[in-house]
Amino acid sequence: MNAAFSQFYKRTPEQRLAILAKTLGLSETEQQELQQRADQGDAPLLIENYLTTYQLPEGVAVNFLVNQHEYVVPMVTEEPSVIAAASNGAKQLAQAGGITATVRSRLLTGQVVLSDVRVYASIDDWVALHQNELLEVARQAHPSIVKRGGGPQTIRTRDLGEGFVSIDLTVDVQSAMGANMMNTMLEAIADVIQNKLHHTTLFSILSNAGDQSLATATVSIPVGQLANDFDDAKRVAKRIEQASRIAQLDSMRAVTHNKGIMNGVDAVVLAMGNDWRAIESAAHAFAVTDGQYRGLSQWHLTDNQLTGTLTLPLPIGVVGGATKVLPLVAINQKIAQIKSPEELMMLIVAVGLAQNFAALKALVTSGIQQGHMKMQMRSLAMSVGATAVETPALTQQLMKLSDPNEAQATQLLNQIREKQGE
Ligand code: NDP
């Protein structure tokens, strides 16, 4: 290990930068870039070994009609086409009457895992006999959530095989995501297991499965809305249904189908200060519930109506965690007019459905590239160094070429600059 990194966590961001510059040869410009973006506020306290703040663009998707309520949706993403596709998809779904969203349940599950269990029934019986006492221990470990109307709900055991047993606790976490309060409760239960049952526990932690925090979005589109000509519209609807079916049959396609859904979901989750890794893990585990990885949404054509449904595990929070620390989150909650965690869950799953609809429609009609072309050309222009003033003109010129590359973009940018200099 390089001695320069010893006690690195005790250094100030400036000292860390100086060490990195010296050991890794960062240029003056690179150092300035890192320093300029460094935050003087809370960010250095949020993570270990803070260096700078890596920014991502935030935009808003519009046209969302969910449960007859209009939403403007903050989205944080680096992918050029995501917000345009979400807004476009949402507009078409609003024309069809809007998205209906529901929340089935909102509970968090956690596990105390025991190893080297010889007789599962002995643990199962003990937990069943002491369940009220264990729930009370969990309540006492975080009494404030009980005062808020939530708290521990159920406790049960599962035999995981190979001598492992999971004691599962479910908690009503109210408006929080609940990871920390859950972990506190689980550790209190683990202490009781060790002291009274005299069985050592392997670990105690929440589960990110989120399968007790499910939200569903549905929409029904009159087929005639999908194209000017009714036969064309019916063909589009049929092709969307088939594309969705392929994601049920083929996991190779399902991964891409779900990635498109998560393009929108992650962007909102991030804007709302929630843990997007938790939501990603939960979504992909949910996609493989029956043993095969499948598309999370489904589209069906019946009686000239194309109906789409998406269910997602969304164990998110509107208080606690990073929601308090990241200054933009409160503003984003205000932009989206979010009043409860259930409302945020419904909005996120609706965004996933609109994103999915936009992607599938583009995919089975004009192809994904055509819709993305302008954004891609803009990205290409920026990647070769076009300024904010030069980018629109260069983007226009690139769109006239069939498959422009970096060399052509650079050449065109030089021509624009030469003309400006004349
Ligand atoms: P916090 O630890 O911030 O807990 C939520 C806080 O919000 C509580 O302290 C609670 O106060 C307060 N609160 C205020 N109003 C309410 C309300 N109406 N309902 C519920 N709580 C309220 O956050 P979480 O426990 O939610 O944990 C989320 C964080 O944990 C995330 O940052 C996540 O990244 C991280 N994490 C995730 C893990 C994972 O996903 N595997 C593992 C560990 C951490 P009071 O105490 O007074 O009740």
Side-chain angles (χ1 to χ4, degrees), residues 61 64 73-79 82-83 85-86 213 215-217 257-284 296-297 310-316 344-357:
F64 273 87
V73 192
M75 297 175 86
V76 173
T77 180
E78 87 299 345
E79 192 169 331
V82 168
I83 296 178
S213 236
T216 298
H257 181 98
N258 292 343
K259 190 273 179 186
I261 292 170
M262 299 313 282
N263 272 342
V265 169
D266 284 347
V268 187
V269 169
L270 206 49
M272 296 298 176
N274 271 262
D275 186 337
W276 55 270
R277 286 87 51 205
I279 300 302
E280 278 281 335
S281 314
H284 298 296
L296 287 158
S297 70
L310 170 66
T311 297
L312 287 177
L314 287 169
I316 50 83
L344 181 55
M345 290 167 76
M346 291 190 280
L347 184 58
I348 295 172
V349 73
V351 170
L353 188 66
Q355 202 82 48
N356 180 237
F357 171 72

Short mmCIF file of all heavy atoms in Angstrom, two decimals, residues 61 64 73-79 82-83 85-86 213 215-217 257-284 296-297 310-316 344-357:
data_model
loop_
_atom_site.label_atom_id
_atom_site.label_comp_id
_atom_site.label_asym_id
_atom_site.label_seq_id
_atom_site.Cartn_x
_atom_site.Cartn_y
_atom_site.Cartn_z
N ALA A 61 -39.83 15.59 -16.30
CA ALA A 61 -40.72 15.00 -17.30
C ALA A 61 -42.10 15.61 -17.07
O ALA A 61 -42.49 15.85 -15.92
CB ALA A 61 -40.77 13.49 -17.14
N PHE A 64 -47.58 13.90 -17.15
CA PHE A 64 -48.00 12.72 -16.40
C PHE A 64 -49.38 12.92 -15.77
O PHE A 64 -49.59 13.88 -15.04
CB PHE A 64 -46.98 12.36 -15.32
CG PHE A 64 -45.90 11.47 -15.86
CD1 PHE A 64 -44.77 12.01 -16.45
CD2 PHE A 64 -46.05 10.09 -15.82
CE1 PHE A 64 -43.80 11.18 -17.00
CE2 PHE A 64 -45.09 9.26 -16.37
CZ PHE A 64 -43.96 9.81 -16.95
N VAL A 73 -42.46 15.65 -13.09
CA VAL A 73 -41.62 14.66 -12.42
C VAL A 73 -40.13 14.97 -12.54
O VAL A 73 -39.56 14.88 -13.63
CB VAL A 73 -41.88 13.25 -13.02
CG1 VAL A 73 -41.24 12.18 -12.13
CG2 VAL A 73 -43.36 12.99 -13.20
N PRO A 74 -39.47 15.32 -11.44
CA PRO A 74 -38.02 15.53 -11.48
C PRO A 74 -37.30 14.22 -11.77
O PRO A 74 -37.65 13.18 -11.19
CB PRO A 74 -37.68 16.01 -10.06
CG PRO A 74 -38.96 16.41 -9.45
CD PRO A 74 -40.02 15.57 -10.09
N MET A 75 -36.33 14.28 -12.69
CA MET A 75 -35.58 13.07 -13.04
C MET A 75 -34.10 13.43 -13.14
O MET A 75 -33.74 14.44 -13.75
CB MET A 75 -36.07 12.50 -14.38
CG MET A 75 -37.51 12.03 -14.33
SD MET A 75 -38.13 11.48 -15.94
CE MET A 75 -37.62 9.78 -15.97
N VAL A 76 -33.27 12.60 -12.55
CA VAL A 76 -31.82 12.82 -12.60
C VAL A 76 -31.22 11.69 -13.43
O VAL A 76 -31.34 10.51 -13.07
CB VAL A 76 -31.22 12.82 -11.18
CG1 VAL A 76 -29.70 12.88 -11.23
CG2 VAL A 76 -31.77 14.00 -10.38
N THR A 77 -30.62 12.05 -14.54
CA THR A 77 -30.09 11.03 -15.45
C THR A 77 -29.02 11.63 -16.36
O THR A 77 -29.06 12.82 -16.67
CB THR A 77 -31.21 10.41 -16.31
OG1 THR A 77 -30.64 9.44 -17.18
CG2 THR A 77 -31.94 11.45 -17.14
N GLU A 78 -28.10 10.77 -16.79
CA GLU A 78 -27.10 11.23 -17.77
C GLU A 78 -27.48 10.76 -19.16
O GLU A 78 -26.84 11.12 -20.14
CB GLU A 78 -25.70 10.76 -17.37
CG GLU A 78 -25.27 9.37 -17.83
CD GLU A 78 -26.14 8.22 -17.32
OE1 GLU A 78 -26.93 8.41 -16.37
OE2 GLU A 78 -26.03 7.12 -17.89
N GLU A 79 -28.54 9.92 -19.28
CA GLU A 79 -28.89 9.35 -20.59
C GLU A 79 -29.77 10.32 -21.36
O GLU A 79 -30.87 10.67 -20.90
CB GLU A 79 -29.58 7.99 -20.42
CG GLU A 79 -29.68 7.25 -21.74
CD GLU A 79 -30.10 5.79 -21.61
OE1 GLU A 79 -29.82 5.17 -20.58
OE2 GLU A 79 -30.72 5.30 -22.57
N VAL A 82 -33.92 9.81 -22.01
CA VAL A 82 -34.84 9.30 -20.98
C VAL A 82 -36.01 10.25 -20.71
O VAL A 82 -37.18 9.84 -20.73
CB VAL A 82 -34.07 8.98 -19.67
CG1 VAL A 82 -35.03 8.74 -18.51
CG2 VAL A 82 -33.19 7.76 -19.88
N ILE A 83 -35.72 11.52 -20.49
CA ILE A 83 -36.80 12.45 -20.09
C ILE A 83 -37.73 12.73 -21.28
O ILE A 83 -38.96 12.80 -21.12
CB ILE A 83 -36.21 13.75 -19.50
CG1 ILE A 83 -35.46 13.39 -18.20
CG2 ILE A 83 -37.30 14.78 -19.22
CD1 ILE A 83 -34.77 14.54 -17.52
N ALA A 85 -38.39 10.65 -23.70
CA ALA A 85 -39.23 9.46 -23.90
C ALA A 85 -40.31 9.37 -22.82
O ALA A 85 -41.46 9.04 -23.11
CB ALA A 85 -38.36 8.21 -23.90
N ALA A 86 -39.94 9.69 -21.59
CA ALA A 86 -40.93 9.63 -20.49
C ALA A 86 -42.06 10.61 -20.75
O ALA A 86 -43.25 10.27 -20.63
CB ALA A 86 -40.26 9.92 -19.15
N SER A 213 -43.75 -4.29 -0.53
CA SER A 213 -43.89 -2.85 -0.82
C SER A 213 -44.13 -2.69 -2.31
O SER A 213 -43.32 -2.12 -3.03
CB SER A 213 -42.59 -2.15 -0.42
OG SER A 213 -42.83 -1.14 0.48
N ALA A 215 -46.08 -1.63 -5.83
CA ALA A 215 -46.95 -0.63 -6.48
C ALA A 215 -47.22 -1.09 -7.91
O ALA A 215 -46.34 -1.65 -8.56
CB ALA A 215 -46.29 0.73 -6.48
N THR A 216 -48.44 -0.85 -8.37
CA THR A 216 -48.83 -1.28 -9.72
C THR A 216 -49.39 -0.09 -10.51
O THR A 216 -50.16 0.70 -9.96
CB THR A 216 -49.91 -2.39 -9.64
OG1 THR A 216 -49.34 -3.51 -8.96
CG2 THR A 216 -50.38 -2.84 -11.01
N ALA A 217 -48.98 -0.01 -11.77
CA ALA A 217 -49.54 1.00 -12.67
C ALA A 217 -50.20 0.28 -13.84
O ALA A 217 -49.64 -0.69 -14.36
CB ALA A 217 -48.44 1.92 -13.19
N HIS A 257 -35.62 -5.02 -21.79
CA HIS A 257 -36.98 -4.52 -21.53
C HIS A 257 -37.00 -3.84 -20.15
O HIS A 257 -37.47 -2.70 -20.01
CB HIS A 257 -37.92 -5.74 -21.56
CG HIS A 257 -39.35 -5.46 -21.35
ND1 HIS A 257 -40.26 -5.34 -22.38
CD2 HIS A 257 -40.08 -5.30 -20.22
CE1 HIS A 257 -41.48 -5.12 -21.89
NE2 HIS A 257 -41.39 -5.09 -20.58
N ASN A 258 -36.45 -4.53 -19.16
CA ASN A 258 -36.47 -4.00 -17.79
C ASN A 258 -35.51 -2.83 -17.61
O ASN A 258 -35.78 -1.91 -16.84
CB ASN A 258 -36.15 -5.11 -16.78
CG ASN A 258 -37.26 -6.14 -16.73
OD1 ASN A 258 -38.37 -5.87 -17.19
ND2 ASN A 258 -36.96 -7.31 -16.19
N LYS A 259 -34.41 -2.86 -18.35
CA LYS A 259 -33.46 -1.73 -18.27
C LYS A 259 -34.17 -0.45 -18.72
O LYS A 259 -34.00 0.62 -18.13
CB LYS A 259 -32.23 -2.02 -19.14
CG LYS A 259 -31.08 -1.05 -18.95
CD LYS A 259 -31.19 0.19 -19.82
CE LYS A 259 -30.03 1.13 -19.57
NZ LYS A 259 -30.16 2.40 -20.30
N GLY A 260 -35.00 -0.58 -19.76
CA GLY A 260 -35.75 0.59 -20.24
C GLY A 260 -36.69 1.12 -19.17
O GLY A 260 -36.84 2.33 -18.99
N ILE A 261 -37.34 0.22 -18.45
CA ILE A 261 -38.24 0.63 -17.35
C ILE A 261 -37.42 1.34 -16.27
O ILE A 261 -37.79 2.41 -15.78
CB ILE A 261 -38.96 -0.61 -16.76
CG1 ILE A 261 -39.93 -1.19 -17.79
CG2 ILE A 261 -39.68 -0.27 -15.45
CD1 ILE A 261 -40.53 -2.54 -17.42
N MET A 262 -36.26 0.75 -15.93
CA MET A 262 -35.45 1.30 -14.84
C MET A 262 -34.79 2.63 -15.24
O MET A 262 -34.40 3.40 -14.37
CB MET A 262 -34.40 0.28 -14.38
CG MET A 262 -34.97 -1.02 -13.84
SD MET A 262 -36.33 -0.81 -12.64
CE MET A 262 -35.42 -0.36 -11.18
N ASN A 263 -34.68 2.91 -16.55
CA ASN A 263 -34.19 4.22 -16.99
C ASN A 263 -35.00 5.32 -16.32
O ASN A 263 -34.45 6.30 -15.82
CB ASN A 263 -34.39 4.39 -18.51
CG ASN A 263 -33.23 3.86 -19.31
OD1 ASN A 263 -32.14 3.68 -18.79
ND2 ASN A 263 -33.47 3.61 -20.59
N GLY A 264 -36.32 5.15 -16.33
CA GLY A 264 -37.18 6.16 -15.73
C GLY A 264 -37.23 6.03 -14.22
O GLY A 264 -37.15 7.03 -13.50
N VAL A 265 -37.36 4.79 -13.75
CA VAL A 265 -37.51 4.56 -12.31
C VAL A 265 -36.30 5.09 -11.54
O VAL A 265 -36.43 5.86 -10.58
CB VAL A 265 -37.71 3.04 -12.04
CG1 VAL A 265 -37.59 2.70 -10.57
CG2 VAL A 265 -39.06 2.58 -12.59
N ASP A 266 -35.10 4.71 -11.98
CA ASP A 266 -33.88 5.15 -11.28
C ASP A 266 -33.76 6.67 -11.26
O ASP A 266 -33.32 7.25 -10.27
CB ASP A 266 -32.62 4.59 -11.97
CG ASP A 266 -32.43 3.11 -11.67
OD1 ASP A 266 -33.09 2.59 -10.77
OD2 ASP A 266 -31.60 2.48 -12.36
N ALA A 267 -34.13 7.29 -12.38
CA ALA A 267 -33.98 8.74 -12.49
C ALA A 267 -34.85 9.46 -11.46
O ALA A 267 -34.45 10.48 -10.88
CB ALA A 267 -34.31 9.21 -13.91
N VAL A 268 -36.06 8.94 -11.21
CA VAL A 268 -36.93 9.56 -10.21
C VAL A 268 -36.44 9.20 -8.80
O VAL A 268 -36.40 10.06 -7.91
CB VAL A 268 -38.41 9.12 -10.38
CG1 VAL A 268 -39.31 9.91 -9.45
CG2 VAL A 268 -38.87 9.29 -11.80
N VAL A 269 -36.07 7.95 -8.62
CA VAL A 269 -35.59 7.51 -7.30
C VAL A 269 -34.39 8.36 -6.87
O VAL A 269 -34.30 8.81 -5.72
CB VAL A 269 -35.21 5.99 -7.34
CG1 VAL A 269 -34.47 5.57 -6.10
CG2 VAL A 269 -36.48 5.15 -7.50
N LEU A 270 -33.51 8.62 -7.83
CA LEU A 270 -32.32 9.44 -7.55
C LEU A 270 -32.72 10.88 -7.22
O LEU A 270 -32.23 11.47 -6.24
CB LEU A 270 -31.42 9.40 -8.80
CG LEU A 270 -29.93 9.63 -8.65
CD1 LEU A 270 -29.34 8.78 -7.54
CD2 LEU A 270 -29.23 9.30 -9.98
N ALA A 271 -33.62 11.43 -8.00
CA ALA A 271 -34.08 12.81 -7.76
C ALA A 271 -34.74 12.95 -6.40
O ALA A 271 -34.70 14.01 -5.78
CB ALA A 271 -35.05 13.25 -8.86
N MET A 272 -35.33 11.85 -5.92
CA MET A 272 -36.04 11.88 -4.64
C MET A 272 -35.16 11.42 -3.48
O MET A 272 -35.66 11.11 -2.40
CB MET A 272 -37.31 11.01 -4.72
CG MET A 272 -38.31 11.54 -5.72
SD MET A 272 -38.90 13.20 -5.26
CE MET A 272 -39.95 13.60 -6.64
N GLY A 273 -33.84 11.36 -3.72
CA GLY A 273 -32.89 11.09 -2.64
C GLY A 273 -32.97 9.69 -2.08
O GLY A 273 -32.57 9.46 -0.93
N ASN A 274 -33.47 8.75 -2.89
CA ASN A 274 -33.58 7.39 -2.38
C ASN A 274 -32.45 6.50 -2.92
O ASN A 274 -31.70 6.87 -3.81
CB ASN A 274 -34.94 6.80 -2.75
CG ASN A 274 -35.98 7.10 -1.69
OD1 ASN A 274 -36.27 6.28 -0.85
ND2 ASN A 274 -36.51 8.32 -1.71
N ASP A 275 -32.38 5.31 -2.32
CA ASP A 275 -31.29 4.39 -2.60
C ASP A 275 -31.62 3.58 -3.86
O ASP A 275 -32.36 2.60 -3.81
CB ASP A 275 -31.17 3.47 -1.36
CG ASP A 275 -30.00 2.53 -1.41
OD1 ASP A 275 -29.51 2.24 -2.52
OD2 ASP A 275 -29.58 2.07 -0.34
N TRP A 276 -31.07 4.02 -5.01
CA TRP A 276 -31.44 3.37 -6.28
C TRP A 276 -30.86 1.97 -6.39
O TRP A 276 -31.39 1.12 -7.10
CB TRP A 276 -31.07 4.23 -7.49
CG TRP A 276 -29.63 4.63 -7.55
CD1 TRP A 276 -29.07 5.75 -7.03
CD2 TRP A 276 -28.56 3.90 -8.14
NE1 TRP A 276 -27.72 5.75 -7.26
CE2 TRP A 276 -27.38 4.63 -7.95
CE3 TRP A 276 -28.48 2.68 -8.84
CZ2 TRP A 276 -26.13 4.19 -8.40
CZ3 TRP A 276 -27.25 2.25 -9.30
CH2 TRP A 276 -26.09 3.01 -9.08
N ARG A 277 -29.76 1.68 -5.67
CA ARG A 277 -29.23 0.31 -5.72
C ARG A 277 -30.23 -0.64 -5.08
O ARG A 277 -30.42 -1.77 -5.55
CB ARG A 277 -27.88 0.18 -4.97
CG ARG A 277 -26.69 0.80 -5.66
CD ARG A 277 -26.53 2.23 -5.34
NE ARG A 277 -26.55 2.52 -3.92
CZ ARG A 277 -26.91 3.69 -3.37
NH1 ARG A 277 -27.26 4.68 -4.15
NH2 ARG A 277 -26.89 3.88 -2.08
N ALA A 278 -30.88 -0.19 -4.01
CA ALA A 278 -31.87 -1.02 -3.33
C ALA A 278 -33.05 -1.30 -4.28
O ALA A 278 -33.55 -2.42 -4.37
CB ALA A 278 -32.37 -0.32 -2.07
N ILE A 279 -33.47 -0.26 -4.99
CA ILE A 279 -34.62 -0.41 -5.90
C ILE A 279 -34.26 -1.30 -7.09
O ILE A 279 -35.05 -2.14 -7.53
CB ILE A 279 -35.11 0.99 -6.37
CG1 ILE A 279 -35.54 1.84 -5.16
CG2 ILE A 279 -36.23 0.88 -7.39
CD1 ILE A 279 -36.64 1.22 -4.30
N GLU A 280 -33.03 -1.13 -7.61
CA GLU A 280 -32.57 -1.99 -8.71
C GLU A 280 -32.55 -3.46 -8.28
O GLU A 280 -33.07 -4.33 -8.98
CB GLU A 280 -31.15 -1.58 -9.14
CG GLU A 280 -31.11 -0.38 -10.08
CD GLU A 280 -31.42 -0.77 -11.52
OE1 GLU A 280 -31.23 -1.93 -11.90
OE2 GLU A 280 -31.90 0.11 -12.27
N SER A 281 -31.95 -3.72 -7.11
CA SER A 281 -31.86 -5.12 -6.64
C SER A 281 -33.25 -5.72 -6.49
O SER A 281 -33.50 -6.85 -6.91
CB SER A 281 -31.18 -5.22 -5.27
OG SER A 281 -30.03 -4.45 -5.24
N ALA A 282 -34.13 -4.93 -5.89
CA ALA A 282 -35.49 -5.41 -5.65
C ALA A 282 -36.20 -5.71 -6.97
O ALA A 282 -36.84 -6.76 -7.12
CB ALA A 282 -36.28 -4.37 -4.85
N ALA A 283 -36.06 -4.81 -7.93
CA ALA A 283 -36.77 -4.98 -9.20
C ALA A 283 -36.30 -6.25 -9.92
O ALA A 283 -37.12 -7.03 -10.42
CB ALA A 283 -36.54 -3.76 -10.10
N HIS A 284 -34.99 -6.47 -9.95
CA HIS A 284 -34.50 -7.63 -10.71
C HIS A 284 -34.81 -8.94 -9.99
O HIS A 284 -35.07 -9.95 -10.64
CB HIS A 284 -33.01 -7.46 -11.02
CG HIS A 284 -32.79 -6.26 -11.89
ND1 HIS A 284 -33.31 -6.17 -13.17
CD2 HIS A 284 -32.18 -5.07 -11.66
CE1 HIS A 284 -33.01 -4.97 -13.67
NE2 HIS A 284 -32.33 -4.29 -12.78
N LEU A 296 -40.80 -6.99 -16.55
CA LEU A 296 -41.59 -6.56 -15.39
C LEU A 296 -42.98 -6.05 -15.80
O LEU A 296 -43.89 -6.04 -14.99
CB LEU A 296 -40.83 -5.47 -14.63
CG LEU A 296 -39.61 -5.97 -13.84
CD1 LEU A 296 -38.64 -4.83 -13.56
CD2 LEU A 296 -40.05 -6.61 -12.53
N SER A 297 -43.09 -5.61 -17.05
CA SER A 297 -44.40 -5.12 -17.51
C SER A 297 -44.97 -6.08 -18.54
O SER A 297 -44.23 -6.85 -19.15
CB SER A 297 -44.24 -3.74 -18.16
OG SER A 297 -43.55 -3.90 -19.38
N LEU A 310 -47.67 -2.71 -14.98
CA LEU A 310 -46.32 -2.83 -14.41
C LEU A 310 -46.45 -2.87 -12.90
O LEU A 310 -47.08 -2.01 -12.30
CB LEU A 310 -45.46 -1.63 -14.83
CG LEU A 310 -44.10 -1.50 -14.14
CD1 LEU A 310 -43.17 -2.64 -14.52
CD2 LEU A 310 -43.44 -0.16 -14.51
N THR A 311 -45.85 -3.89 -12.28
CA THR A 311 -45.78 -3.94 -10.82
C THR A 311 -44.31 -3.92 -10.42
O THR A 311 -43.49 -4.64 -11.01
CB THR A 311 -46.46 -5.22 -10.27
OG1 THR A 311 -47.84 -5.16 -10.61
CG2 THR A 311 -46.33 -5.32 -8.75
N LEU A 312 -44.00 -3.09 -9.44
CA LEU A 312 -42.61 -2.99 -8.98
C LEU A 312 -42.54 -2.99 -7.46
O LEU A 312 -43.40 -2.38 -6.81
CB LEU A 312 -42.00 -1.66 -9.45
CG LEU A 312 -41.64 -1.49 -10.92
CD1 LEU A 312 -41.13 -0.08 -11.15
CD2 LEU A 312 -40.59 -2.50 -11.35
N PRO A 313 -41.52 -3.62 -6.90
CA PRO A 313 -41.26 -3.45 -5.48
C PRO A 313 -40.59 -2.08 -5.29
O PRO A 313 -39.57 -1.80 -5.91
CB PRO A 313 -40.29 -4.59 -5.14
CG PRO A 313 -39.71 -5.03 -6.44
CD PRO A 313 -40.55 -4.51 -7.56
N LEU A 314 -41.19 -1.22 -4.48
CA LEU A 314 -40.64 0.14 -4.33
C LEU A 314 -40.53 0.54 -2.86
O LEU A 314 -41.29 1.40 -2.37
CB LEU A 314 -41.52 1.14 -5.10
CG LEU A 314 -41.40 1.08 -6.63
CD1 LEU A 314 -42.49 1.91 -7.30
CD2 LEU A 314 -40.02 1.55 -7.10
N PRO A 315 -39.59 -0.08 -2.15
CA PRO A 315 -39.42 0.29 -0.74
C PRO A 315 -38.67 1.62 -0.59
O PRO A 315 -37.51 1.65 -0.20
CB PRO A 315 -38.63 -0.89 -0.16
CG PRO A 315 -37.90 -1.46 -1.32
CD PRO A 315 -38.67 -1.13 -2.56
N ILE A 316 -39.37 2.71 -0.90
CA ILE A 316 -38.74 4.03 -0.86
C ILE A 316 -39.20 4.80 0.39
O ILE A 316 -40.12 4.36 1.08
CB ILE A 316 -39.06 4.86 -2.12
CG1 ILE A 316 -40.55 4.88 -2.41
CG2 ILE A 316 -38.30 4.35 -3.33
CD1 ILE A 316 -41.37 5.84 -1.70
N LEU A 344 -45.51 8.68 -3.84
CA LEU A 344 -44.25 8.61 -4.59
C LEU A 344 -44.11 7.23 -5.26
O LEU A 344 -43.69 7.15 -6.42
CB LEU A 344 -43.06 8.88 -3.65
CG LEU A 344 -41.68 8.84 -4.32
CD1 LEU A 344 -41.60 9.80 -5.51
CD2 LEU A 344 -40.58 9.18 -3.31
N MET A 345 -44.49 6.17 -4.55
CA MET A 345 -44.44 4.83 -5.15
C MET A 345 -45.29 4.78 -6.42
O MET A 345 -44.87 4.24 -7.44
CB MET A 345 -44.95 3.78 -4.15
CG MET A 345 -44.03 3.53 -2.98
SD MET A 345 -44.85 2.59 -1.67
CE MET A 345 -44.86 0.93 -2.35
N MET A 346 -46.49 5.36 -6.34
CA MET A 346 -47.40 5.31 -7.49
C MET A 346 -46.85 6.13 -8.66
O MET A 346 -46.96 5.74 -9.81
CB MET A 346 -48.79 5.80 -7.07
CG MET A 346 -49.47 4.81 -6.13
SD MET A 346 -51.21 5.14 -5.81
CE MET A 346 -51.14 6.41 -4.59
N LEU A 347 -46.21 7.26 -8.33
CA LEU A 347 -45.65 8.08 -9.40
C LEU A 347 -44.47 7.34 -10.07
O LEU A 347 -44.35 7.33 -11.30
CB LEU A 347 -45.18 9.43 -8.82
CG LEU A 347 -44.65 10.43 -9.85
CD1 LEU A 347 -45.70 10.74 -10.92
CD2 LEU A 347 -44.21 11.72 -9.18
N ILE A 348 -43.63 6.71 -9.26
CA ILE A 348 -42.46 6.03 -9.83
C ILE A 348 -42.89 4.87 -10.74
O ILE A 348 -42.37 4.72 -11.84
CB ILE A 348 -41.53 5.50 -8.70
CG1 ILE A 348 -40.94 6.67 -7.91
CG2 ILE A 348 -40.41 4.65 -9.28
CD1 ILE A 348 -40.17 6.27 -6.65
N VAL A 349 -43.87 4.08 -10.29
CA VAL A 349 -44.27 2.94 -11.13
C VAL A 349 -44.96 3.45 -12.41
O VAL A 349 -44.81 2.86 -13.48
CB VAL A 349 -45.14 1.94 -10.32
CG1 VAL A 349 -46.53 2.43 -10.05
CG2 VAL A 349 -45.17 0.59 -11.01
N ALA A 350 -45.64 4.60 -12.30
CA ALA A 350 -46.27 5.20 -13.49
C ALA A 350 -45.20 5.65 -14.48
O ALA A 350 -45.34 5.48 -15.70
CB ALA A 350 -47.15 6.37 -13.08
N VAL A 351 -44.13 6.22 -13.97
CA VAL A 351 -43.02 6.65 -14.85
C VAL A 351 -42.43 5.42 -15.54
O VAL A 351 -42.17 5.45 -16.75
CB VAL A 351 -41.93 7.41 -14.04
CG1 VAL A 351 -40.68 7.63 -14.89
CG2 VAL A 351 -42.47 8.75 -13.54
N GLY A 352 -42.26 4.34 -14.79
CA GLY A 352 -41.73 3.10 -15.39
C GLY A 352 -42.60 2.62 -16.53
O GLY A 352 -42.10 2.22 -17.59
N LEU A 353 -43.93 2.70 -16.35
CA LEU A 353 -44.85 2.23 -17.39
C LEU A 353 -44.81 3.14 -18.63
O LEU A 353 -44.79 2.66 -19.77
CB LEU A 353 -46.28 2.15 -16.83
CG LEU A 353 -47.31 1.48 -17.74
CD1 LEU A 353 -46.99 0.00 -17.95
CD2 LEU A 353 -48.72 1.63 -17.18
N ALA A 354 -44.78 4.45 -18.40
CA ALA A 354 -44.72 5.39 -19.54
C ALA A 354 -43.41 5.21 -20.31
O ALA A 354 -43.38 5.24 -21.54
CB ALA A 354 -44.85 6.83 -19.02
N GLN A 355 -42.33 5.02 -19.57
CA GLN A 355 -41.02 4.83 -20.19
C GLN A 355 -41.04 3.56 -21.04
O GLN A 355 -40.54 3.53 -22.16
CB GLN A 355 -39.98 4.68 -19.06
CG GLN A 355 -38.57 4.99 -19.47
CD GLN A 355 -38.29 6.48 -19.44
OE1 GLN A 355 -38.61 7.15 -18.47
NE2 GLN A 355 -37.71 6.99 -20.50
N ASN A 356 -41.64 2.52 -20.50
CA ASN A 356 -41.72 1.24 -21.18
C ASN A 356 -42.56 1.35 -22.45
O ASN A 356 -42.19 0.85 -23.51
CB ASN A 356 -42.32 0.21 -20.21
CG ASN A 356 -42.46 -1.17 -20.79
OD1 ASN A 356 -43.54 -1.73 -20.83
ND2 ASN A 356 -41.37 -1.75 -21.26
N PHE A 357 -43.69 2.08 -22.34
CA PHE A 357 -44.57 2.25 -23.50
C PHE A 357 -43.83 3.00 -24.62
O PHE A 357 -43.86 2.59 -25.78
CB PHE A 357 -45.84 3.01 -23.10
CG PHE A 357 -46.68 3.41 -24.27
CD1 PHE A 357 -47.41 2.47 -24.98
CD2 PHE A 357 -46.73 4.74 -24.70
CE1 PHE A 357 -48.16 2.82 -26.08
CE2 PHE A 357 -47.48 5.10 -25.80
CZ PHE A 357 -48.20 4.14 -26.50
#
